[in-house]
Amino acid sequence: MASLVRSATLRFLKPLGNLTLNYAVNHPRTQTLSFRAFSTTLSPPSKAVVYEQHGPPDRVTRVIQLPPVEVKENDVCVKMLAAPINPSDINRIEGVYPVRPQVPAVGGYEGVGEVHSVGAAVKGFLPGDLVIPSPPSFGTWQTYIVKDQNVWYKINKKSPLEYAATITVNPLTALRMLEDFVTLNKGDAIVQNGATSIVGQCIIQLAHHRGIHNINIIRDRTGSDEVKEKLKNLGADEVFTESQLEVKNVKGLLSGIPEPALGFNCVGGNAASLVLKFLGRGGTMVTYGGMSKKPITVSTSSFIFKDLSLRGFWLQNWMSTEKAKGCRVLIDSLLDLAREGKLKYEMELVPFDNFNAAIDKALGKQGSQPKQVINFQL
């Protein structure tokens, strides 16, 4: 019997990535037979920020190692390069945001990465491509992510890393609010509180770029004159502290600027009332945040005699509408402005190993800080 089998060969080819198993049997009366086993591509192991229960982010999050994940035929494996810590990320971990992943979960919602590998059926992506999740997708605070190719959008490789990582949530919110509620023409005016926020800074620059006057309200603070100068350098026409607006006729403070038709509120309380005082008849105030956690109070006369409208904006809700189909084109236009230096805001790139320090800054433990952006390469 042993003489019937002349040789047997077992060998592994390409031990990383696709695994191929060849088994050859030689027999005098038969030709060589070859068998190929099922092939599987796996991602590298991933380092991730996870939370297993809702609560204070500085207490419930921890950094762990995740095992490799199978890259299926329609999947793209992305090596994450950078991802921000947004207020909404903190609210999701706290369990107070309306839409959040089930726990246990990986933190993060937007970011930028580089294609590491692709599934067999993937088209349009190659290793080395710069991509973002568009619309944003849960779980960006990790070094490698595997998701369906439809999640990813390829962007210009020359895009600044920190802007590519943060372009979707805040700048896109600013752009949509400027375009979706009131038709604004060159020479018109808008008013906003929370002007030092990233959305506020984007509104200033996008409005200025379009020739739209912008009136900005900031809270009273030490160094407010420096803050005013910074915002005016971005394109602000007027910047007032809340105490400066404790006058009967706030519009008397304006010189050569028409009554605003559109206002933005991300603070609530008295700061929202100040926005309403500036609005002209038929004006609209759009609320997209409530940092003071105080309600918006509107006088009866404002509704009756000024015919004001109050609206709300939530980017995640907008992403579910038909309008969102064109959001990738809008993202390209915003990234173009960032590359040209026409859209900028202050950020701090933080090494992943310093995540705990970054989350403390994002929580305001050290006072006002630039937006914290996790850099997975450092």
Side-chain angles (χ1 to χ4, degrees):
M1 179 68 67
S3 63
L4 293 178
V5 179
R6 300 177 61 181
S7 67
T9 304
L10 179 66
R11 59 178 178 165
F12 290 88
L13 299 178
K14 205 175 180 182
L16 296 177
N18 287 329
L19 181 64
T20 301
L21 173 65
N22 283 347
Y23 181 70
V25 179
N26 295 327
H27 189 278
R29 298 179 183 177
T30 65
Q31 297 183 359
T32 299
L33 301 177
S34 181
F35 303 92
R36 175 167 290 188
F38 180 80
S39 63
T40 302
T41 299
L42 297 177
S43 73
S46 185
K47 186 177 177 182
V49 177
V50 301
Y51 55 102
E52 298 174 6
Q53 61 182 359
H54 294 122
D58 55 341
R59 297 182 185 177
V60 301
T61 58
R62 59 193 181 101
V63 178
I64 66 170
Q65 294 286 340
L66 297 178
V69 176
E70 180 183 354
V71 182
K72 299 177 182 178
E73 64 175 10
N74 289 310
D75 286 343
V76 175
C77 175
V78 172
K79 177 183 179 182
M80 291 302 293
L81 302 178
I85 303 176
N86 288 320
S88 55
D89 296 321
I90 292 172
N91 292 155
R92 287 188 181 93
I93 296 170
E94 292 170 333
V96 299
Y97 205 71
V99 176
R100 53 189 181 270
Q102 291 185 339
V103 293
V106 176
Y109 187 58
E110 67 174 332
V112 62
E114 182 180 86
V115 173
H116 176 267
S117 62
V118 299
V122 170
K123 296 180 180 179
F125 294 100
L126 293 172
D129 285 344
L130 197 64
V131 295
I132 61 173
S134 179
S137 181
F138 298 130
T140 57
W141 293 353
Q142 58 182 314
T143 51
Y144 288 92
I145 303 178
V146 176
K147 289 183 182 286
D148 188 272
Q149 60 181 328
N150 292 328
V151 169
W152 303 105
Y153 178 56
K154 183 164 63 176
I155 61 173
N156 192 316
K157 283 189 176 183
K158 295 181 180 179
S159 300
L161 185 68
E162 63 272 32
Y163 287 95
T166 59
I167 202 68
T168 303
V169 172
N170 291 317
L172 189 58
T173 292
L175 180 60
R176 291 310 337 148
M177 292 196 302
L178 280 169
E179 294 188 349
D180 285 359
F181 295 94
V182 173
T183 299
L184 295 170
N185 299 309
K186 186 175 181 179
D188 288 340
I190 60 99
V191 58
Q192 66 167 341
N193 59 36
T196 58
S197 69
I198 288 188
V199 173
Q201 293 178 56
C202 290
I203 286 173
I204 290 171
Q205 293 169 89
L206 293 173
H208 179 73
H209 184 64
R210 299 174 179 207
I212 298 168
H213 298 289
N214 56 91
I215 304 155
N216 303 275
I217 304 167
I218 62 174
R219 62 182 175 83
D220 290 272
R221 69 185 80 188
T222 302
S224 59
D225 288 339
E226 289 82 359
V227 173
K228 290 180 181 181
E229 188 66 26
K230 175 184 174 182
L231 295 181
K232 288 189 176 182
N233 288 337
L234 291 178
D237 290 282
E238 296 285 356
V239 184
F240 300 104
T241 60
E242 291 182 18
S243 62
Q244 285 182 287
L245 301 178
E246 294 175 357
V247 296
K248 186 173 182 180
N249 180 23
V250 295
K251 295 173 186 176
L253 300 173
L254 303 179
S255 56
I257 298 178
E259 288 186 330
L262 180 62
F264 303 115
N265 164 53
C266 68
V267 180
N270 181 61
S273 299
L274 294 175
V275 170
L276 292 170
K277 287 172 71 174
F278 273 106
L279 290 177
R281 179 175 174 78
T284 298
M285 182 176 78
V286 180
T287 293
Y288 66 98
M291 291 188 291
S292 72
K293 298 182 180 179
K294 295 179 181 178
I296 299 169
T297 303
V298 188
S299 67
T300 303
S301 61
S302 292
F303 278 125
I304 296 175
F305 302 116
K306 293 181 67 176
D307 191 24
L308 298 182
S309 298
L310 302 184
R311 301 287 302 276
F313 181 83
W314 183 29
L315 183 68
Q316 192 154 338
N317 187 56
W318 179 84
M319 286 288 190
S320 66
T321 68
E322 286 294 312
K323 294 179 181 179
K325 290 183 178 180
C327 76
R328 292 179 171 182
V329 175
L330 300 177
I331 286 170
D332 284 338
S333 67
L334 290 168
L335 285 173
D336 286 343
L337 291 174
R339 281 196 304 274
E340 295 166 4
K342 296 177 180 177
L343 183 67
K344 50 191 175 183
Y345 38 88
E346 190 177 1
M347 293 171 279
E348 181 181 358
L349 283 167
V350 182
F352 192 15
D353 288 343
N354 293 351
F355 173 78
N356 289 336
I359 200 71
D360 283 347
K361 287 185 177 181
L363 289 169
K365 290 185 178 182
Q366 300 178 31
S368 180
Q369 296 287 330
K371 178 172 286 295
Q372 300 295 291
V373 180
I374 305 166
N375 189 332
F376 297 102
Q377 302 179 97
L378 297 177

